[in-house]
Amino acid sequence: MSNAPARTRNTDGPKRFVFVLLDQFTMLCLSSAVEALRIANRMSGSEIYSWTLAGEGGEHAQSSAGIWFRLDSDLEEFDRDDTILVCGGIDVAGATTKRMLSWLRREARKGPVIGGLCTAGYTLAKAGLLDGKRATIHWENQDSFTEEFEEVTLTKSVFVVDGNRITTAGGTASIDLMLKLIAQDQGEDLANLVADQLIYSSIRTDQDTQRLSIPTRIGVRHPKLGQVIRMMEQNIEEPISPAQLAQDVGMSTRQLERLFRRYLNRSPKRYYMELRLGKARNLLMQTDMSVINVALACGFASPSHFSKCYRAHYDTTPYRERGTHAARERA
C-alpha cells in the first residue's frame, strides 16, 4: 500500500465537524468518525478537515464506558458551513434535554448539515429535524422510534443521507458514513486510502442494512423458513396464525411445525411469541408508552395475558421490568 499523499480538490481551508456529545454517548461512534478524518488529513498531506467537541455546559461529557471527555465549547452558534454531528448512546431520551432541542432547532434554521450518530437520530427526530425525511437508528431502538415518530421514514440502513440530514445506526457505521463524505469531498482515491489505513475492507453504502440477514442470524438457509420469519417480524401488532403463515408459503401447518422444530427447536407459535415479547421489552425500556399500549403494539389483546406471557419468558412482570430499568438508569 502506498503512503504517498492523495491529490485533493479542497483549497478553501479545512472543513469543520462539530461533534456534540450527549450524556452517555458511545465512544465508538465518535472515535470511528474522528479517526477517519484524521487519517484523511494524513493521507492527503494537508489539513482538509478539522473537528471540535461541544456539549451542554462546555466542560466535560461522560461516555457510556464511564470515560470523561473534555469539551472544547458549550452549545454555541456555529458556522453554516460546519457539519454538526450529535453523538448518542445509552438512554438517549434522558440525554435529550430541552436546551439541546432548542439549540438544535436554532442551528437548523441556518441550514447546516446536521446528523445523529448511533442513537442520536432520536434527538434529531425529537427536535423535528427529521420530519418528512428518511432516517436510521440502531436496530435496538427501531421499535420505540417507529412508535414515537410516525412522520419519519425509518429504514434499516447502516446510514442515511437525506438532504442536509444524516443518521447512522451506530458502531462502525460512522466509518462508512465518513468514507462516503470524504469520497464526495475529495474523491474515491482518498476515501480508499483511508479505508486501507483502517483495515476496513468491506465499505458499506446506504443500501446496506445494519442487521444480519435472517439466514445468517438463525444459522439456517431454508428459503421458506426465512420467508415465514420475515412475515412474523413484519406483523407484530397483528400476528398471523400459523395456519395462515403455512398457507402463504405453500406448506401445511404440520410441515411448518416440523420445519421450526427441526431448525429452531421450537414451534412457530413459540418463536412468534418470543419475537413479540422481545419487541415489548424494547418498548418498555426505551419509551414512556403505558404497559397497556405496549401490549397492544405487540399483539396482545389484554394486559393480563401480556403480563402472564412476559413473566413466563422473562421471570418478571412488565411493570417490574420498567421499574428495574429506570432504577439502573438513575444509578
Side-chain angles (χ1 to χ4, degrees):
M1 178 181 62
S2 172
N3 285 326
R7 184 168 57 87
T8 66
R9 297 194 293 268
N10 184 13
T11 58
D12 299 327
K15 177 178 181 178
R16 185 167 70 160
F17 285 79
V18 178
F19 292 97
V20 180
L21 308 186
L22 299 180
D23 185 42
Q24 298 296 300
F25 74 95
T26 303
M27 286 197 301
L28 185 57
C29 74
L30 171 67
S31 60
S32 296
V34 171
E35 279 300 289
L37 297 176
R38 179 191 67 79
I39 294 171
N41 285 349
R42 177 182 167 226
M43 301 310 293
S44 70
S46 61
E47 187 185 5
I48 55 177
Y49 295 112
S50 67
W51 51 89
T52 187
L53 303 183
E56 287 191 70
E59 296 291 333
H60 298 88
Q62 187 179 30
S63 71
S64 58
I67 298 174
W68 290 84
F69 283 69
R70 182 176 58 81
L71 301 176
D72 300 309
S73 69
D74 202 339
L75 299 179
E76 56 191 43
E77 287 194 31
F78 292 98
D79 296 336
R80 185 185 185 280
D81 292 335
D82 292 336
T83 297
I84 297 172
L85 295 178
V86 184
C87 300
I90 294 174
D91 188 24
V92 66
T96 301
T97 64
K98 290 182 179 179
R99 186 184 176 213
M100 178 64 67
L101 294 175
S102 297
W103 176 77
L104 279 170
R105 291 170 185 137
R106 283 199 308 272
E107 289 298 299
R109 285 196 284 270
K110 295 187 293 191
V113 174
I114 300 179
L117 306 185
C118 195
T119 61
Y122 172 92
T123 307
L124 268 61
K126 194 73 173 177
L129 304 190
L130 297 180
D131 290 359
K133 299 282 189 180
R134 293 173 62 256
T136 190
I137 198 167
H138 191 280
W139 63 265
E140 196 173 43
N141 299 80
Q142 293 231 339
D143 291 335
S144 56
F145 189 100
T146 301
E147 292 290 334
E148 188 166 353
F149 304 111
E150 295 180 358
E151 60 279 8
V152 182
T153 302
L154 191 65
T155 76
K156 294 186 177 181
S157 300
V158 292
F159 68 86
V160 172
V161 178
D162 190 344
N164 59 353
R165 297 292 175 263
I166 296 171
T167 46
T168 75
T172 57
S174 290
I175 298 177
D176 302 292
L177 169 66
M178 291 318 224
L179 291 174
K180 177 182 176 66
L181 298 181
I182 292 168
Q184 287 179 342
D185 292 342
Q186 306 293 336
E188 294 283 349
D189 288 347
L190 180 59
N192 289 333
L193 284 176
V194 173
D196 286 343
Q197 288 291 320
L198 290 167
I199 320 296
Y200 204 67
S201 56
S202 298
I203 303 173
R204 296 171 295 182
T205 71
D206 55 1
Q207 300 302 309
D208 291 301
T209 55
Q210 56 180 290
R211 291 200 71 185
L212 298 174
S213 65
I214 290 172
T216 304
R217 259 191 284 146
I218 66 177
V220 177
R221 294 192 175 275
H222 191 292
K224 289 192 175 182
L225 182 60
Q227 189 178 347
V228 170
I229 292 174
R230 189 173 300 108
M231 286 171 14
M232 288 178 172
E233 291 179 344
Q234 293 171 352
N235 294 275
I236 297 292
E237 188 169 349
E238 297 182 5
I240 305 171
S241 69
Q244 186 62 53
L245 289 168
Q247 181 179 326
D248 289 346
V249 296
M251 303 177 72
S252 69
T253 305
R254 183 169 294 184
Q255 287 174 320
L256 185 64
E257 286 275 349
R258 286 201 297 263
L259 189 64
F260 269 78
R261 290 287 181 190
R262 176 182 176 186
Y263 289 110
L264 299 173
N265 196 32
R266 52 177 55 77
S267 69
K269 183 178 179 181
R270 184 68 227 167
Y271 188 89
Y272 211 165
M273 176 63 72
E274 290 172 359
L275 285 178
R276 293 160 58 199
L277 290 171
K279 176 176 179 177
R281 190 167 188 266
N282 277 342
L283 294 178
L284 286 169
M285 298 174 73
Q286 297 171 14
T287 74
D288 294 326
M289 291 172 64
S290 68
V291 172
I292 293 175
N293 285 335
V294 169
L296 294 173
C298 298
F300 293 93
S302 71
S304 59
H305 182 228
F306 170 50
S307 185
K308 180 182 178 181
C309 294
Y310 198 95
R311 183 166 192 162
H313 188 62
Y314 289 114
D315 198 29
T316 188
T317 67
Y319 296 95
R320 288 176 182 167
E321 183 82 271
R322 171 163 282 168
T324 302
H325 175 69
R328 282 199 301 266
E329 293 294 344
R330 289 193 298 269

